[in-house]
Amino acid sequence: MVSESLATRTTDFLIQYPPFSYVERKDLQALAAQMNLKYFRENDFVFEEGEKASELLYILQKGQIEILKEMEDDTRIIDVCDSGDAFGVRSLLSGESFISSARVSQESLVYLLPAAAFTDLMSKYPRVSMYFASGLAAGMSIIREKGKKLSKARFELGKQANRKGLLREEDIVVFKHKDEVVFCKIEQTIKDAADIMTQYKIGSLVVANDQLHPVGIVTNVDFARKIGTGKVGIGEPITKIMSRPVMTIPYGETTAEVILTMMKHNIRHLVVTEDGTPNSQFIGIISEHDILQAQGNNPAVLAKRMMRARTVEQLAAIRDRAEELIHSYLQQEISISFITSVMTEINDVLIRKAVEMSLARLEEEGWQQPREKFCFMSLGSEGRGEQLLRTDQDNAIIYQEPAATKAEQVKAYFHKLGLYTTDILEACGFAHCPGEIMASNEEWNASLPDWKRKFANWMQTADPESLLHVSIFFDYRGIYGDMSLVDDLTDFIHEEVGRAKGFLNFFAFNATQTPPPLSFFRNFVVERGGKHKDEFDIKSRAMLPIADAARVLLLSHKTRPSTHTMERLEALASLDTANAEVYKEAAMAYGLMIRYRALNGLEYRNSGRFIHPNKLNKIEKQTLKYAFRTIEELQGILRSSFGLAVFR
């Protein structure tokens, strides 16, 4: 035990850093009195991978500690702890052996907190347990900004990490440094570039200016398509065939971020520059081949296979594989924002392929595609970019208004396209919507003016059915086709929100009608009968109230950021600084619920919507109960912002 004066100094130190900053000072003082301070020399190990779990939580007071992980061929630094960072949490809570090592890279002082005291702290302060559960899930060291630019937080992930060679977020991309990267100058010819690529036996080449800023990139594909076909002569400048603008990223990006960038832009090469922009010197190049060689099996591979699939059966089999990927990510406790981003990209590729297959089938059947532009849209959780597991479909089609003489013909074509596409998605595991909110339903397959009339009517009427439609259709994203139609509709909706007197008040009132899902005795509110008797509906009782509140609050600010609930809440934290902490905690809570739902669904092979409270451990129950408090706080902001007391 430490002296009273040391306990006071320890308290003063801890209170600067979350989650200890959430603890009342008197309790933090009592906690500090139970802690010891230990000195470690450079290159000492606080603990080593495979070592039996200790009964201590480690908190770095001074110095620097590296978290190391044994990979197949070497040892990697996957995190660096700075002052105030807690580490060793996973093994402390799970009781399992350490899955990584903690090596001292600079002389360090480390606080040692007994497990019993830490457990008591989490029991008394659900916000502390929620912090660890959602942010690090019993295994992350937090790296904070403290007046200097630090590396991005990386996660010490999962049991038996990377056993299947799956992507992990903390993997740092290994690329060829500029001293090894072959390049050509912008004034050189195509023949010069070809000679360089032949000499060094490479398939891609950076084109740089005199300042060594990347201005373009040329690949074997460019030579085949433009030189091999005779379209461009070999004496022409390299600028004639290079791809521009070049896509760049900064040094230190994770494999995850690189893959997402490649998937989003459908490219195969990225140039690494000093500041991440084309306006600084390049220091390396990363190709899709490099990623595939390093990772073997990853989301980019699945997406590419989907794009190349020739049958619905192949498409479905690839999507099944993505489910295994989710399970691995969740077990490794990779951040929810990353998992939802990856799965959104995969689902979007699947939907685009389904539309393309449907267009091809219509052509084979002799249908002539109308000249009118169209866009296939995702709605609901997929529209928000939050769908991990395969649930019911929610989608629609919007198309350019045709001439009156061919309105029926155009309508028939897009209705058929909706039917074929939704059938393919069903074959891939996305069930038909029980409410028929799909592109196969003529009601949700309409021209742009029809869609505008629908939204105007819903917002002017504001009855329960209209509000239900609004809550679904406000979460839409264009997936395939002409996105200008979606932009046009969005512009109209935001103008209509200003014209529809009282709409936001009714919408806000509707968002307060689902109370926080805890009973008077702070127990989970479960279903009283039916198929899911005694189960907790995490979707309707916990997730939708947060999503509804975030949607209407952001609409009131007349902004147009992402439809993703967590991103909406982050945007609100910037717009409404007085309630910023509530929004941030709600975003954490929502991410936590996505994780619990997905894990539950994978265990029981369903949507994960209904959870058995008696199968949650004490920490999980406490964490969820604290997360539910954010619902009450968000609804309080709604009532205050819209003066909803008059409705009660």
Side-chain angles (χ1 to χ4, degrees):
M1 297 297 178
V2 299
S3 66
E4 184 176 347
S5 60
L6 183 55
T8 299
R9 290 198 297 273
T10 301
T11 302
D12 291 338
F13 171 79
L14 292 175
I15 207 165
Q16 301 175 69
Y17 306 103
F20 303 106
S21 56
Y22 306 151
V23 180
E24 291 183 18
R25 186 174 181 87
K26 62 180 178 62
D27 290 331
L28 201 56
Q29 184 97 10
L31 189 76
Q34 302 179 62
M35 299 169 67
N36 287 316
L37 188 63
K38 185 173 181 179
Y39 167 76
F40 289 90
R41 295 187 301 271
E42 187 174 345
N43 294 322
D44 280 352
F45 280 87
V46 180
F47 54 77
E48 295 188 61
E49 185 172 347
E51 184 181 316
K52 184 180 178 182
S54 72
E55 290 294 309
L56 296 168
L57 174 71
Y58 304 94
I59 305 160
L60 182 58
Q61 197 266 356
K62 183 179 180 181
Q64 184 172 286
I65 290 176
E66 298 171 339
I67 305 299
L68 311 175
K69 178 70 182 171
E70 293 289 339
M71 302 301 178
E72 293 181 1
D73 53 351
D74 65 351
T75 301
R76 294 191 194 177
I77 299 174
I78 62 172
D79 204 351
V80 178
C81 297
D82 196 9
S83 294
D85 290 344
F87 57 102
V89 186
R90 175 193 297 277
S91 294
L92 176 63
L93 294 181
S94 68
E96 298 178 358
S97 300
F98 290 104
I99 64 167
S100 59
S101 300
R103 183 180 66 192
V104 179
S105 52
Q106 296 177 10
E107 286 185 308
S108 297
L109 291 172
V110 179
Y111 286 116
L112 311 179
L113 176 63
F118 181 55
T119 304
D120 290 343
L121 181 70
M122 289 199 297
S123 297
K124 185 170 183 178
Y125 290 91
R127 190 175 179 185
V128 173
S129 61
M130 179 179 164
Y131 178 87
F132 285 110
S134 60
L136 50 86
M140 187 177 93
S141 296
I142 300 97
I143 298 179
R144 282 173 289 275
E145 291 286 346
K146 293 166 58 180
K148 57 182 180 177
K149 186 175 180 181
L150 298 174
S151 61
K152 291 183 179 179
R154 303 192 184 100
F155 297 0
E156 178 189 323
L157 298 173
K159 300 170 185 175
Q160 305 172 356
N162 212 29
R163 172 171 287 185
K164 296 183 179 179
L166 297 171
L167 167 74
R168 293 162 324 155
E169 190 177 16
E170 86 278 8
D171 289 339
I172 298 300
V173 178
V174 177
F175 59 89
K176 299 173 183 176
H177 193 270
K178 72 177 178 184
D179 295 337
E180 303 168 354
V181 175
V182 180
F183 66 97
C184 73
K185 291 291 190 71
I186 191 171
E187 62 269 15
Q188 290 184 275
T189 66
I190 294 170
K191 183 180 183 304
D192 294 333
D195 289 341
I196 294 171
M197 292 174 69
T198 301
Q199 178 185 351
Y200 290 96
K201 298 179 181 179
I202 55 176
S204 60
L205 191 66
V206 174
V207 181
N209 60 21
D210 290 339
Q211 291 77 41
L212 293 184
H213 296 174
V215 294
I217 191 167
V218 62
T219 69
N220 282 335
V221 174
D222 295 316
F223 277 90
R225 290 178 179 174
K226 299 168 186 177
I227 306 301
T229 58
K231 293 179 180 179
V232 182
I234 61 172
E236 296 282 345
I238 190 63
T239 53
K240 286 280 188 180
I241 66 168
M242 73 181 187
S243 298
R244 70 170 111 187
V246 65
M247 290 297 298
T248 57
I249 58 171
Y251 172 76
E253 292 286 56
T254 63
T255 304
E257 291 161 326
V258 169
I259 287 175
L260 283 175
T261 301
M262 287 183 173
M263 290 172 71
K264 282 181 180 294
H265 298 283
N266 194 25
I267 55 176
R268 298 184 177 185
H269 298 82
L270 289 170
V271 176
V272 183
T273 63
E274 291 177 345
D275 67 2
T277 75
N279 301 317
S280 62
Q281 286 194 6
F282 75 88
I283 56 176
I285 185 171
I286 303 166
S287 70
E288 180 185 62
H289 180 69
D290 296 331
I291 296 294
L292 299 186
Q293 275 195 327
Q295 296 296 331
N297 193 6
N298 62 46
V301 175
L302 296 178
K304 191 165 291 295
R305 287 176 181 170
M306 282 182 177
M307 289 187 282
R308 294 174 178 172
R310 295 188 176 183
T311 67
V312 175
E313 291 73 23
Q314 290 175 346
L315 201 58
I318 297 167
R319 185 56 182 80
D320 288 342
R321 178 67 187 88
E323 212 87 334
E324 298 174 23
L325 196 65
I326 297 172
H327 188 268
S328 174
Y329 285 174
L330 290 168
Q331 289 301 315
Q332 296 179 46
E333 279 138 21
I334 292 175
S335 70
I336 279 296
S337 59
F338 172 71
I339 301 176
T340 55
S341 295
V342 166
M343 293 314 302
T344 296
E345 292 296 331
I346 288 177
N347 287 338
D348 286 358
V349 171
L350 173 67
I351 293 168
R352 286 194 287 269
K353 187 64 178 181
V355 175
E356 288 174 357
M357 286 180 164
S358 300
L359 289 169
R361 179 179 173 183
L362 285 166
E363 186 178 0
E364 290 172 4
E365 293 176 354
W367 288 77
Q368 184 175 357
Q369 183 171 342
R371 299 179 66 179
E372 285 74 14
K373 299 180 292 185
F374 81 96
C375 187
F376 190 96
M377 301 188 295
S378 282
L379 314 171
S381 60
E382 172 61 14
R384 294 192 300 271
E386 299 169 0
Q387 189 176 59
L388 296 189
L389 304 182
R390 286 172 284 190
T391 57
D392 299 342
Q393 295 181 49
D394 287 309
N395 46 55
I397 286 178
I398 182 173
Y399 55 85
Q400 188 178 8
E401 184 178 24
T405 54
K406 47 178 198 169
E408 288 303 315
Q409 178 185 350
V410 171
K411 181 179 180 180
Y413 178 90
F414 287 122
H415 179 234
K416 203 74 171 176
L417 176 64
L419 281 169
Y420 288 170
T421 303
T422 53
D423 283 347
I424 291 174
L425 294 176
E426 183 180 36
C428 292
F430 295 88
H432 276 179
C433 173
E436 292 295 316
I437 300 176
M438 297 184 297
S440 55
N441 184 342
E442 290 185 354
E443 180 72 14
W444 315 123
N445 191 323
S447 68
L448 176 59
D450 284 340
W451 275 108
K452 289 181 178 179
R453 281 190 286 270
K454 290 178 192 294
F455 272 96
N457 181 62
W458 292 335
M459 287 188 275
Q460 293 291 343
T461 307
D463 58 23
E465 184 178 358
S466 296
L467 289 171
L468 174 63
H469 285 142
V470 168
S471 66
I472 295 171
F473 286 92
F474 260 83
D475 296 338
Y476 61 81
R477 285 187 306 117
I479 306 297
Y480 182 100
D482 194 311
M483 302 301 163
S484 66
L485 294 165
V486 176
D487 292 338
D488 194 336
L489 179 61
T490 302
D491 290 339
F492 170 81
I493 290 170
H494 280 269
E495 291 171 5
E496 193 65 22
V497 166
R499 288 193 293 263
K501 186 178 180 181
F503 163 70
L504 281 180
N505 288 71
F506 282 107
F507 202 18
F509 174 69
N510 190 62
T512 64
Q513 295 310 288
T514 302
L518 293 175
S519 68
F520 180 79
F521 296 103
R522 311 304 293 170
N523 294 319
F524 288 79
V525 175
V526 297
E527 303 304 297
R528 295 185 177 181
K531 179 181 178 182
H532 298 287
K533 186 177 184 295
D534 296 328
E535 294 177 358
F536 172 66
D537 184 349
I538 194 170
K539 175 187 173 181
S540 65
R541 293 189 182 277
M543 298 178 73
L544 284 182
I546 295 179
D548 289 345
R551 185 190 303 112
V552 70
L553 283 166
L554 203 55
L555 271 174
S556 70
H557 285 279
K558 299 180 181 180
T559 60
R560 297 174 54 180
S562 166
T563 56
H564 195 294
T565 300
M566 293 169 68
E567 292 180 9
R568 282 172 167 168
L569 290 164
E570 289 165 5
L572 284 166
S574 299
L575 293 165
D576 179 10
T577 55
N579 294 302
E581 286 304 311
V582 174
Y583 298 129
K584 290 175 183 178
E585 290 179 20
M588 288 172 58
Y590 196 79
L592 191 68
M593 293 177 200
I594 292 176
R595 183 184 295 277
Y596 275 123
R597 179 178 177 180
L599 286 169
N600 187 60
L602 289 167
E603 181 177 356
Y604 294 101
R605 296 183 178 277
N606 55 34
S607 70
R609 176 174 177 172
F610 293 93
I611 292 176
H612 301 270
N614 60 343
K615 294 189 177 180
L616 297 173
N617 63 39
K618 184 178 180 180
I619 294 297
E620 289 170 335
K621 287 180 180 178
Q622 288 176 335
T623 302
L624 279 173
K625 286 179 180 179
Y626 182 81
F628 297 157
R629 294 182 186 179
T630 63
I631 298 172
E632 187 172 6
E633 292 174 326
L634 283 175
Q635 291 178 347
I637 294 173
L638 280 171
R639 293 190 180 97
S640 174
S641 300
F642 293 94
L644 297 183
V646 297
F647 289 97
R648 307 196 77 184

